[in-house]
Amino acid sequence: MMDKLEKILMPMAEAIGRNKYLIAIRDGFLVSTPLLIVGSIFLLLANFPIQAWTDFIANVQIGSSNLATLLSKQSDATFTIMAIFATMGIGYSFAKQLKTSGIFGAAVSLMSWFILMPYSITGSISAMFDANGAAMEVVEGAKATVTGVDLGWLGAKGIFMGIICGLVSVHVYAWVEKKGWVIKMPAGVPPTVVQSFAALIPAGIVMTMFFVINTIFVACGTDAFTFIFTFLQTPLLGLGDTLGAMVIAYIFLHLFWFFGVNGGSVVGAVFNPILQTLALENLNLYREVGVQGYTVANGAHIISQQFQDLFATWGGCGSTLSLLIAMLLFCKSKRITELGKLALIPGFFGINEPIVFGLPIVLNPSIIIPFVLVPTINIVVSYAAMAIGLFPPCNGINIPWTMPIFFSGLLATNWVGAVFQVVMLIVGVFIYMPFIKSMDKQYLADEAAAAQAEEEEDDINLDDLSFDDL
């Protein structure tokens, strides 16, 4: 069975791992990661779940604003415009994959994205105002259209459009450049000027192509952003926001790890854009309704990037922090106990390569069952707990996956979620226990046999020695 799985999974992992499009999407999202983490710190300060603190920052006036508003602005400069970062990052990364200019790849991606973006906002108005700001006439329920950019397209709603623009625009740019359709400058011209003129024709062709695309959509009475959001992004998010999708993705992720392939990179290249978009929608809802109104009933997604990072596993793939604790509590062999001591501290921060390759877990059939089972149970039980309202879904704040257990649950949900993490960690310990004890028994026998062999080598019987040949 293992041979059959290897024949299926290894080619799949290799195909995904070498796919330029998926690599560009994966690396492109990483551009925004440090900005989102820092923005999350300010967002936590602005929404820390202690009433005395929130009252304090709301009452501290600084000019015409207050401290709470000023602390929230950092999240506006990161989360609210995340699609811009993603579009630029994907364009840059894909350009590097195609051996062309990264900076111009990022530029044409963003240009194409903005060409397709609608510059009108339609919404309800409640009153007409005069030049002095006084209400002139109440017009409840009336509609008005103004020129501007809907901030929703700069955030979660525009991410999939950014992926498409980043990949298509750079692909066309690189194709034109490789055809040699560039302006070549004479020798002696500064390199920056040479690159700028060389990009002129490729960028112009990309702009013209997206102009035509935008014109077609407008002629049809819609726009590309609305079309993609309605017919692609919404169905994909609906599919990804299910327990079944999460379980299947994590089973494949751990099977890849079992064969020594980084399952997070392989599965994440496909699944993470969906999870990150769901997380951003959660964050927008959390900022809109606050702690009290943030519930599944109000539209919060249970499945999200933070759900994957903070409630599916603890200590890395396989939720191996439970395994480490079982190793230290129930095992006696030196091989396991010494490895457990070395890997425990990194395991608290989600780093488990020492245990994956040192125990080993890779290609070890005796540990594959709990390695896949424990994360699956974590996902199912955590999903159920959030669904019934035991504690709220993750609020979308970008908490690093290295944040230790309990603290991550506290920041992403509340104290109940933090305690729940600890309970599930303990459940994982007892699931791993019989499997690691079986390995420990074998290792003890191996160590005893090795010790006996060493004693026999050192035990020299002088009576058996013969000096006749000397």
PDB file of all heavy atoms in Angstrom, residues 137-175:
ATOM      1  N   GLU A 137     -32.766  67.416   2.570  1.00  0.00           N
ATOM      2  CA  GLU A 137     -33.937  66.607   2.255  1.00  0.00           C
ATOM      3  C   GLU A 137     -33.658  65.160   2.622  1.00  0.00           C
ATOM      4  O   GLU A 137     -32.607  64.622   2.285  1.00  0.00           O
ATOM      5  CB  GLU A 137     -34.247  66.714   0.762  1.00  0.00           C
ATOM      6  CG  GLU A 137     -35.436  65.878   0.315  1.00  0.00           C
ATOM      7  CD  GLU A 137     -35.620  65.925  -1.191  1.00  0.00           C
ATOM      8  OE1 GLU A 137     -34.852  66.631  -1.864  1.00  0.00           O
ATOM      9  OE2 GLU A 137     -36.530  65.241  -1.676  1.00  0.00           O
ATOM     10  N   VAL A 138     -34.570  64.548   3.319  1.00  0.00           N
ATOM     11  CA  VAL A 138     -34.422  63.148   3.672  1.00  0.00           C
ATOM     12  C   VAL A 138     -34.909  62.294   2.510  1.00  0.00           C
ATOM     13  O   VAL A 138     -36.009  62.483   2.001  1.00  0.00           O
ATOM     14  CB  VAL A 138     -35.202  62.809   4.956  1.00  0.00           C
ATOM     15  CG1 VAL A 138     -35.128  61.317   5.245  1.00  0.00           C
ATOM     16  CG2 VAL A 138     -34.686  63.632   6.128  1.00  0.00           C
ATOM     17  N   VAL A 139     -34.033  61.344   2.102  1.00  0.00           N
ATOM     18  CA  VAL A 139     -34.365  60.490   0.951  1.00  0.00           C
ATOM     19  C   VAL A 139     -34.023  59.045   1.292  1.00  0.00           C
ATOM     20  O   VAL A 139     -33.184  58.417   0.679  1.00  0.00           O
ATOM     21  CB  VAL A 139     -33.617  60.952  -0.320  1.00  0.00           C
ATOM     22  CG1 VAL A 139     -34.244  62.163  -0.921  1.00  0.00           C
ATOM     23  CG2 VAL A 139     -32.138  61.188  -0.007  1.00  0.00           C
ATOM     24  N   GLU A 140     -34.660  58.521   2.299  1.00  0.00           N
ATOM     25  CA  GLU A 140     -34.377  57.164   2.765  1.00  0.00           C
ATOM     26  C   GLU A 140     -34.540  56.153   1.633  1.00  0.00           C
ATOM     27  O   GLU A 140     -35.532  56.179   0.895  1.00  0.00           O
ATOM     28  CB  GLU A 140     -35.318  56.786   3.915  1.00  0.00           C
ATOM     29  CG  GLU A 140     -35.052  57.539   5.208  1.00  0.00           C
ATOM     30  CD  GLU A 140     -33.792  57.081   5.894  1.00  0.00           C
ATOM     31  OE1 GLU A 140     -33.234  56.048   5.479  1.00  0.00           O
ATOM     32  OE2 GLU A 140     -33.353  57.759   6.842  1.00  0.00           O
ATOM     33  N   GLY A 141     -33.543  55.267   1.482  1.00  0.00           N
ATOM     34  CA  GLY A 141     -33.615  54.195   0.515  1.00  0.00           C
ATOM     35  C   GLY A 141     -33.202  54.571  -0.887  1.00  0.00           C
ATOM     36  O   GLY A 141     -33.173  53.714  -1.759  1.00  0.00           O
ATOM     37  N   ALA A 142     -32.880  55.831  -1.123  1.00  0.00           N
ATOM     38  CA  ALA A 142     -32.466  56.235  -2.461  1.00  0.00           C
ATOM     39  C   ALA A 142     -31.075  55.725  -2.762  1.00  0.00           C
ATOM     40  O   ALA A 142     -30.280  55.439  -1.861  1.00  0.00           O
ATOM     41  CB  ALA A 142     -32.501  57.754  -2.578  1.00  0.00           C
ATOM     42  N   LYS A 143     -30.758  55.575  -4.043  1.00  0.00           N
ATOM     43  CA  LYS A 143     -29.462  55.092  -4.486  1.00  0.00           C
ATOM     44  C   LYS A 143     -28.660  56.236  -5.085  1.00  0.00           C
ATOM     45  O   LYS A 143     -29.210  57.130  -5.722  1.00  0.00           O
ATOM     46  CB  LYS A 143     -29.612  53.969  -5.516  1.00  0.00           C
ATOM     47  CG  LYS A 143     -30.316  52.719  -4.996  1.00  0.00           C
ATOM     48  CD  LYS A 143     -29.430  51.931  -4.066  1.00  0.00           C
ATOM     49  CE  LYS A 143     -30.094  50.619  -3.648  1.00  0.00           C
ATOM     50  NZ  LYS A 143     -29.228  49.827  -2.765  1.00  0.00           N
ATOM     51  N   ALA A 144     -27.356  56.198  -4.870  1.00  0.00           N
ATOM     52  CA  ALA A 144     -26.471  57.199  -5.458  1.00  0.00           C
ATOM     53  C   ALA A 144     -25.203  56.516  -5.939  1.00  0.00           C
ATOM     54  O   ALA A 144     -24.729  55.553  -5.334  1.00  0.00           O
ATOM     55  CB  ALA A 144     -26.119  58.282  -4.440  1.00  0.00           C
ATOM     56  N   THR A 145     -24.671  57.001  -7.060  1.00  0.00           N
ATOM     57  CA  THR A 145     -23.425  56.480  -7.609  1.00  0.00           C
ATOM     58  C   THR A 145     -22.410  57.606  -7.640  1.00  0.00           C
ATOM     59  O   THR A 145     -22.684  58.690  -8.170  1.00  0.00           O
ATOM     60  CB  THR A 145     -23.627  55.936  -9.031  1.00  0.00           C
ATOM     61  OG1 THR A 145     -24.593  54.880  -8.991  1.00  0.00           O
ATOM     62  CG2 THR A 145     -22.327  55.389  -9.584  1.00  0.00           C
ATOM     63  N   VAL A 146     -21.247  57.347  -7.061  1.00  0.00           N
ATOM     64  CA  VAL A 146     -20.188  58.350  -7.018  1.00  0.00           C
ATOM     65  C   VAL A 146     -18.920  57.735  -7.598  1.00  0.00           C
ATOM     66  O   VAL A 146     -18.762  56.517  -7.636  1.00  0.00           O
ATOM     67  CB  VAL A 146     -19.928  58.840  -5.577  1.00  0.00           C
ATOM     68  CG1 VAL A 146     -21.156  59.534  -5.008  1.00  0.00           C
ATOM     69  CG2 VAL A 146     -19.513  57.674  -4.673  1.00  0.00           C
ATOM     70  N   THR A 147     -18.027  58.615  -8.050  1.00  0.00           N
ATOM     71  CA  THR A 147     -16.756  58.146  -8.578  1.00  0.00           C
ATOM     72  C   THR A 147     -15.793  57.880  -7.428  1.00  0.00           C
ATOM     73  O   THR A 147     -15.637  58.699  -6.523  1.00  0.00           O
ATOM     74  CB  THR A 147     -16.143  59.197  -9.519  1.00  0.00           C
ATOM     75  OG1 THR A 147     -17.061  59.424 -10.596  1.00  0.00           O
ATOM     76  CG2 THR A 147     -14.813  58.714 -10.073  1.00  0.00           C
ATOM     77  N   GLY A 148     -15.138  56.741  -7.466  1.00  0.00           N
ATOM     78  CA  GLY A 148     -14.200  56.371  -6.420  1.00  0.00           C
ATOM     79  C   GLY A 148     -13.868  54.893  -6.490  1.00  0.00           C
ATOM     80  O   GLY A 148     -14.343  54.181  -7.372  1.00  0.00           O
ATOM     81  N   VAL A 149     -13.066  54.443  -5.562  1.00  0.00           N
ATOM     82  CA  VAL A 149     -12.656  53.045  -5.498  1.00  0.00           C
ATOM     83  C   VAL A 149     -13.293  52.402  -4.277  1.00  0.00           C
ATOM     84  O   VAL A 149     -13.139  52.898  -3.155  1.00  0.00           O
ATOM     85  CB  VAL A 149     -11.120  52.909  -5.431  1.00  0.00           C
ATOM     86  CG1 VAL A 149     -10.724  51.454  -5.242  1.00  0.00           C
ATOM     87  CG2 VAL A 149     -10.477  53.467  -6.687  1.00  0.00           C
ATOM     88  N   ASP A 150     -14.017  51.331  -4.483  1.00  0.00           N
ATOM     89  CA  ASP A 150     -14.613  50.569  -3.390  1.00  0.00           C
ATOM     90  C   ASP A 150     -13.480  49.877  -2.625  1.00  0.00           C
ATOM     91  O   ASP A 150     -12.748  49.053  -3.190  1.00  0.00           O
ATOM     92  CB  ASP A 150     -15.590  49.546  -3.953  1.00  0.00           C
ATOM     93  CG  ASP A 150     -16.355  48.792  -2.867  1.00  0.00           C
ATOM     94  OD1 ASP A 150     -15.947  48.863  -1.697  1.00  0.00           O
ATOM     95  OD2 ASP A 150     -17.339  48.116  -3.200  1.00  0.00           O
ATOM     96  N   LEU A 151     -13.337  50.187  -1.338  1.00  0.00           N
ATOM     97  CA  LEU A 151     -12.251  49.593  -0.554  1.00  0.00           C
ATOM     98  C   LEU A 151     -12.354  48.076  -0.484  1.00  0.00           C
ATOM     99  O   LEU A 151     -11.356  47.401  -0.237  1.00  0.00           O
ATOM    100  CB  LEU A 151     -12.246  50.186   0.862  1.00  0.00           C
ATOM    101  CG  LEU A 151     -11.779  51.642   0.994  1.00  0.00           C
ATOM    102  CD1 LEU A 151     -11.875  52.091   2.440  1.00  0.00           C
ATOM    103  CD2 LEU A 151     -10.354  51.797   0.479  1.00  0.00           C
ATOM    104  N   GLY A 152     -13.538  47.542  -0.705  1.00  0.00           N
ATOM    105  CA  GLY A 152     -13.682  46.086  -0.698  1.00  0.00           C
ATOM    106  C   GLY A 152     -12.840  45.420  -1.766  1.00  0.00           C
ATOM    107  O   GLY A 152     -12.295  44.333  -1.552  1.00  0.00           O
ATOM    108  N   TRP A 153     -12.691  46.075  -2.938  1.00  0.00           N
ATOM    109  CA  TRP A 153     -11.869  45.499  -4.002  1.00  0.00           C
ATOM    110  C   TRP A 153     -10.394  45.523  -3.642  1.00  0.00           C
ATOM    111  O   TRP A 153      -9.608  44.739  -4.168  1.00  0.00           O
ATOM    112  CB  TRP A 153     -12.073  46.256  -5.308  1.00  0.00           C
ATOM    113  CG  TRP A 153     -13.445  46.191  -5.881  1.00  0.00           C
ATOM    114  CD1 TRP A 153     -14.215  47.235  -6.295  1.00  0.00           C
ATOM    115  CD2 TRP A 153     -14.233  45.014  -6.135  1.00  0.00           C
ATOM    116  NE1 TRP A 153     -15.422  46.801  -6.774  1.00  0.00           N
ATOM    117  CE2 TRP A 153     -15.462  45.439  -6.700  1.00  0.00           C
ATOM    118  CE3 TRP A 153     -14.022  43.655  -5.939  1.00  0.00           C
ATOM    119  CZ2 TRP A 153     -16.459  44.541  -7.058  1.00  0.00           C
ATOM    120  CZ3 TRP A 153     -15.023  42.760  -6.299  1.00  0.00           C
ATOM    121  CH2 TRP A 153     -16.216  43.194  -6.848  1.00  0.00           C
ATOM    122  N   LEU A 154      -9.981  46.429  -2.757  1.00  0.00           N
ATOM    123  CA  LEU A 154      -8.576  46.487  -2.351  1.00  0.00           C
ATOM    124  C   LEU A 154      -8.241  45.428  -1.308  1.00  0.00           C
ATOM    125  O   LEU A 154      -7.057  45.184  -1.033  1.00  0.00           O
ATOM    126  CB  LEU A 154      -8.240  47.868  -1.788  1.00  0.00           C
ATOM    127  CG  LEU A 154      -8.533  49.070  -2.680  1.00  0.00           C
ATOM    128  CD1 LEU A 154      -8.086  50.357  -1.991  1.00  0.00           C
ATOM    129  CD2 LEU A 154      -7.847  48.924  -4.032  1.00  0.00           C
ATOM    130  N   GLY A 155      -9.269  44.816  -0.746  1.00  0.00           N
ATOM    131  CA  GLY A 155      -9.047  43.803   0.285  1.00  0.00           C
ATOM    132  C   GLY A 155      -9.444  42.421  -0.194  1.00  0.00           C
ATOM    133  O   GLY A 155      -9.042  41.972  -1.271  1.00  0.00           O
ATOM    134  N   ALA A 156     -10.276  41.750   0.601  1.00  0.00           N
ATOM    135  CA  ALA A 156     -10.593  40.349   0.343  1.00  0.00           C
ATOM    136  C   ALA A 156     -11.276  40.131  -1.002  1.00  0.00           C
ATOM    137  O   ALA A 156     -10.998  39.151  -1.696  1.00  0.00           O
ATOM    138  CB  ALA A 156     -11.479  39.811   1.470  1.00  0.00           C
ATOM    139  N   LYS A 157     -12.154  41.048  -1.413  1.00  0.00           N
ATOM    140  CA  LYS A 157     -12.925  40.834  -2.646  1.00  0.00           C
ATOM    141  C   LYS A 157     -12.059  40.895  -3.900  1.00  0.00           C
ATOM    142  O   LYS A 157     -12.437  40.361  -4.942  1.00  0.00           O
ATOM    143  CB  LYS A 157     -14.042  41.872  -2.741  1.00  0.00           C
ATOM    144  CG  LYS A 157     -15.149  41.692  -1.715  1.00  0.00           C
ATOM    145  CD  LYS A 157     -16.126  42.857  -1.751  1.00  0.00           C
ATOM    146  CE  LYS A 157     -16.839  42.949  -3.085  1.00  0.00           C
ATOM    147  NZ  LYS A 157     -17.820  44.074  -3.110  1.00  0.00           N
ATOM    148  N   GLY A 158     -10.903  41.548  -3.810  1.00  0.00           N
ATOM    149  CA  GLY A 158     -10.081  41.720  -4.996  1.00  0.00           C
ATOM    150  C   GLY A 158      -8.901  40.784  -5.121  1.00  0.00           C
ATOM    151  O   GLY A 158      -8.112  40.902  -6.065  1.00  0.00           O
ATOM    152  N   ILE A 159      -8.763  39.837  -4.197  1.00  0.00           N
ATOM    153  CA  ILE A 159      -7.573  38.987  -4.182  1.00  0.00           C
ATOM    154  C   ILE A 159      -7.522  38.055  -5.390  1.00  0.00           C
ATOM    155  O   ILE A 159      -6.488  37.927  -6.054  1.00  0.00           O
ATOM    156  CB  ILE A 159      -7.501  38.195  -2.864  1.00  0.00           C
ATOM    157  CG1 ILE A 159      -7.081  39.130  -1.718  1.00  0.00           C
ATOM    158  CG2 ILE A 159      -6.519  37.037  -2.987  1.00  0.00           C
ATOM    159  CD1 ILE A 159      -6.987  38.465  -0.374  1.00  0.00           C
ATOM    160  N   PHE A 160      -8.609  37.396  -5.711  1.00  0.00           N
ATOM    161  CA  PHE A 160      -8.579  36.458  -6.836  1.00  0.00           C
ATOM    162  C   PHE A 160      -8.362  37.188  -8.158  1.00  0.00           C
ATOM    163  O   PHE A 160      -7.690  36.682  -9.057  1.00  0.00           O
ATOM    164  CB  PHE A 160      -9.870  35.634  -6.868  1.00  0.00           C
ATOM    165  CG  PHE A 160      -9.829  34.430  -5.975  1.00  0.00           C
ATOM    166  CD1 PHE A 160      -9.810  34.572  -4.598  1.00  0.00           C
ATOM    167  CD2 PHE A 160      -9.784  33.156  -6.498  1.00  0.00           C
ATOM    168  CE1 PHE A 160      -9.762  33.467  -3.768  1.00  0.00           C
ATOM    169  CE2 PHE A 160      -9.732  32.039  -5.677  1.00  0.00           C
ATOM    170  CZ  PHE A 160      -9.713  32.195  -4.305  1.00  0.00           C
ATOM    171  N   MET A 161      -8.919  38.394  -8.282  1.00  0.00           N
ATOM    172  CA  MET A 161      -8.659  39.193  -9.472  1.00  0.00           C
ATOM    173  C   MET A 161      -7.187  39.559  -9.538  1.00  0.00           C
ATOM    174  O   MET A 161      -6.586  39.579 -10.621  1.00  0.00           O
ATOM    175  CB  MET A 161      -9.517  40.462  -9.428  1.00  0.00           C
ATOM    176  CG  MET A 161      -9.557  41.222 -10.741  1.00  0.00           C
ATOM    177  SD  MET A 161     -10.549  40.372 -11.978  1.00  0.00           S
ATOM    178  CE  MET A 161      -9.352  40.141 -13.273  1.00  0.00           C
ATOM    179  N   GLY A 162      -6.585  39.828  -8.387  1.00  0.00           N
ATOM    180  CA  GLY A 162      -5.150  40.133  -8.343  1.00  0.00           C
ATOM    181  C   GLY A 162      -4.302  38.954  -8.777  1.00  0.00           C
ATOM    182  O   GLY A 162      -3.286  39.119  -9.454  1.00  0.00           O
ATOM    183  N   ILE A 163      -4.701  37.743  -8.380  1.00  0.00           N
ATOM    184  CA  ILE A 163      -3.975  36.537  -8.797  1.00  0.00           C
ATOM    185  C   ILE A 163      -4.007  36.399 -10.312  1.00  0.00           C
ATOM    186  O   ILE A 163      -2.982  36.153 -10.959  1.00  0.00           O
ATOM    187  CB  ILE A 163      -4.575  35.292  -8.120  1.00  0.00           C
ATOM    188  CG1 ILE A 163      -4.335  35.332  -6.603  1.00  0.00           C
ATOM    189  CG2 ILE A 163      -3.987  34.019  -8.720  1.00  0.00           C
ATOM    190  CD1 ILE A 163      -5.040  34.218  -5.849  1.00  0.00           C
ATOM    191  N   ILE A 164      -5.192  36.576 -10.880  1.00  0.00           N
ATOM    192  CA  ILE A 164      -5.343  36.433 -12.333  1.00  0.00           C
ATOM    193  C   ILE A 164      -4.536  37.493 -13.068  1.00  0.00           C
ATOM    194  O   ILE A 164      -3.795  37.191 -14.022  1.00  0.00           O
ATOM    195  CB  ILE A 164      -6.829  36.506 -12.717  1.00  0.00           C
ATOM    196  CG1 ILE A 164      -7.580  35.309 -12.138  1.00  0.00           C
ATOM    197  CG2 ILE A 164      -6.993  36.574 -14.235  1.00  0.00           C
ATOM    198  CD1 ILE A 164      -9.078  35.396 -12.288  1.00  0.00           C
ATOM    199  N   CYS A 165      -4.644  38.743 -12.636  1.00  0.00           N
ATOM    200  CA  CYS A 165      -3.909  39.830 -13.297  1.00  0.00           C
ATOM    201  C   CYS A 165      -2.403  39.627 -13.175  1.00  0.00           C
ATOM    202  O   CYS A 165      -1.658  39.859 -14.134  1.00  0.00           O
ATOM    203  CB  CYS A 165      -4.311  41.181 -12.695  1.00  0.00           C
ATOM    204  SG  CYS A 165      -5.963  41.723 -13.150  1.00  0.00           S
ATOM    205  N   GLY A 166      -1.942  39.216 -11.992  1.00  0.00           N
ATOM    206  CA  GLY A 166      -0.517  39.006 -11.794  1.00  0.00           C
ATOM    207  C   GLY A 166       0.049  37.948 -12.723  1.00  0.00           C
ATOM    208  O   GLY A 166       1.120  38.123 -13.307  1.00  0.00           O
ATOM    209  N   LEU A 167      -0.672  36.859 -12.894  1.00  0.00           N
ATOM    210  CA  LEU A 167      -0.183  35.763 -13.730  1.00  0.00           C
ATOM    211  C   LEU A 167      -0.307  36.079 -15.225  1.00  0.00           C
ATOM    212  O   LEU A 167       0.638  35.886 -15.994  1.00  0.00           O
ATOM    213  CB  LEU A 167      -0.941  34.478 -13.401  1.00  0.00           C
ATOM    214  CG  LEU A 167      -0.786  33.944 -11.971  1.00  0.00           C
ATOM    215  CD1 LEU A 167      -1.646  32.705 -11.772  1.00  0.00           C
ATOM    216  CD2 LEU A 167       0.666  33.640 -11.637  1.00  0.00           C
ATOM    217  N   VAL A 168      -1.462  36.588 -15.638  1.00  0.00           N
ATOM    218  CA  VAL A 168      -1.697  36.826 -17.068  1.00  0.00           C
ATOM    219  C   VAL A 168      -0.835  37.966 -17.587  1.00  0.00           C
ATOM    220  O   VAL A 168      -0.184  37.853 -18.638  1.00  0.00           O
ATOM    221  CB  VAL A 168      -3.189  37.114 -17.325  1.00  0.00           C
ATOM    222  CG1 VAL A 168      -3.411  37.523 -18.782  1.00  0.00           C
ATOM    223  CG2 VAL A 168      -4.035  35.900 -16.976  1.00  0.00           C
ATOM    224  N   SER A 169      -0.790  39.088 -16.879  1.00  0.00           N
ATOM    225  CA  SER A 169      -0.048  40.253 -17.365  1.00  0.00           C
ATOM    226  C   SER A 169       1.445  39.963 -17.475  1.00  0.00           C
ATOM    227  O   SER A 169       2.083  40.317 -18.473  1.00  0.00           O
ATOM    228  CB  SER A 169      -0.289  41.450 -16.440  1.00  0.00           C
ATOM    229  OG  SER A 169       0.198  41.189 -15.138  1.00  0.00           O
ATOM    230  N   VAL A 170       2.007  39.293 -16.484  1.00  0.00           N
ATOM    231  CA  VAL A 170       3.437  38.987 -16.515  1.00  0.00           C
ATOM    232  C   VAL A 170       3.740  37.954 -17.592  1.00  0.00           C
ATOM    233  O   VAL A 170       4.792  38.026 -18.248  1.00  0.00           O
ATOM    234  CB  VAL A 170       3.912  38.508 -15.125  1.00  0.00           C
ATOM    235  CG1 VAL A 170       5.349  38.024 -15.184  1.00  0.00           C
ATOM    236  CG2 VAL A 170       3.784  39.633 -14.114  1.00  0.00           C
ATOM    237  N   HIS A 171       2.845  37.007 -17.774  1.00  0.00           N
ATOM    238  CA  HIS A 171       3.053  36.007 -18.823  1.00  0.00           C
ATOM    239  C   HIS A 171       3.114  36.682 -20.196  1.00  0.00           C
ATOM    240  O   HIS A 171       4.002  36.383 -21.018  1.00  0.00           O
ATOM    241  CB  HIS A 171       1.919  34.981 -18.794  1.00  0.00           C
ATOM    242  CG  HIS A 171       2.286  33.657 -19.398  1.00  0.00           C
ATOM    243  ND1 HIS A 171       2.557  33.503 -20.741  1.00  0.00           N
ATOM    244  CD2 HIS A 171       2.444  32.418 -18.859  1.00  0.00           C
ATOM    245  CE1 HIS A 171       2.851  32.255 -20.996  1.00  0.00           C
ATOM    246  NE2 HIS A 171       2.794  31.562 -19.869  1.00  0.00           N
ATOM    247  N   VAL A 172       2.195  37.607 -20.461  1.00  0.00           N
ATOM    248  CA  VAL A 172       2.195  38.326 -21.733  1.00  0.00           C
ATOM    249  C   VAL A 172       3.439  39.200 -21.849  1.00  0.00           C
ATOM    250  O   VAL A 172       4.088  39.253 -22.911  1.00  0.00           O
ATOM    251  CB  VAL A 172       0.916  39.176 -21.869  1.00  0.00           C
ATOM    252  CG1 VAL A 172       0.983  40.076 -23.102  1.00  0.00           C
ATOM    253  CG2 VAL A 172      -0.317  38.280 -21.923  1.00  0.00           C
ATOM    254  N   TYR A 173       3.792  39.884 -20.765  1.00  0.00           N
ATOM    255  CA  TYR A 173       4.975  40.750 -20.753  1.00  0.00           C
ATOM    256  C   TYR A 173       6.235  39.949 -21.104  1.00  0.00           C
ATOM    257  O   TYR A 173       7.037  40.349 -21.965  1.00  0.00           O
ATOM    258  CB  TYR A 173       5.113  41.393 -19.371  1.00  0.00           C
ATOM    259  CG  TYR A 173       6.297  42.321 -19.224  1.00  0.00           C
ATOM    260  CD1 TYR A 173       6.161  43.687 -19.408  1.00  0.00           C
ATOM    261  CD2 TYR A 173       7.560  41.831 -18.877  1.00  0.00           C
ATOM    262  CE1 TYR A 173       7.241  44.553 -19.263  1.00  0.00           C
ATOM    263  CE2 TYR A 173       8.643  42.666 -18.735  1.00  0.00           C
ATOM    264  CZ  TYR A 173       8.481  44.026 -18.931  1.00  0.00           C
ATOM    265  OH  TYR A 173       9.553  44.870 -18.797  1.00  0.00           O
ATOM    266  N   ALA A 174       6.410  38.800 -20.436  1.00  0.00           N
ATOM    267  CA  ALA A 174       7.602  37.973 -20.677  1.00  0.00           C
ATOM    268  C   ALA A 174       7.600  37.403 -22.096  1.00  0.00           C
ATOM    269  O   ALA A 174       8.655  37.311 -22.738  1.00  0.00           O
ATOM    270  CB  ALA A 174       7.665  36.848 -19.650  1.00  0.00           C
ATOM    271  N   TRP A 175       6.427  37.024 -22.615  1.00  0.00           N
ATOM    272  CA  TRP A 175       6.323  36.485 -23.970  1.00  0.00           C
ATOM    273  C   TRP A 175       6.743  37.522 -25.007  1.00  0.00           C
ATOM    274  O   TRP A 175       7.511  37.218 -25.925  1.00  0.00           O
ATOM    275  CB  TRP A 175       4.892  36.022 -24.220  1.00  0.00           C
ATOM    276  CG  TRP A 175       4.681  35.456 -25.590  1.00  0.00           C
ATOM    277  CD1 TRP A 175       4.977  34.202 -26.027  1.00  0.00           C
ATOM    278  CD2 TRP A 175       4.114  36.140 -26.719  1.00  0.00           C
ATOM    279  NE1 TRP A 175       4.632  34.045 -27.352  1.00  0.00           N
ATOM    280  CE2 TRP A 175       4.104  35.222 -27.804  1.00  0.00           C
ATOM    281  CE3 TRP A 175       3.613  37.424 -26.914  1.00  0.00           C
ATOM    282  CZ2 TRP A 175       3.605  35.574 -29.058  1.00  0.00           C
ATOM    283  CZ3 TRP A 175       3.127  37.765 -28.164  1.00  0.00           C
ATOM    284  CH2 TRP A 175       3.125  36.860 -29.225  1.00  0.00           C
TER     285      TRP A 175
END
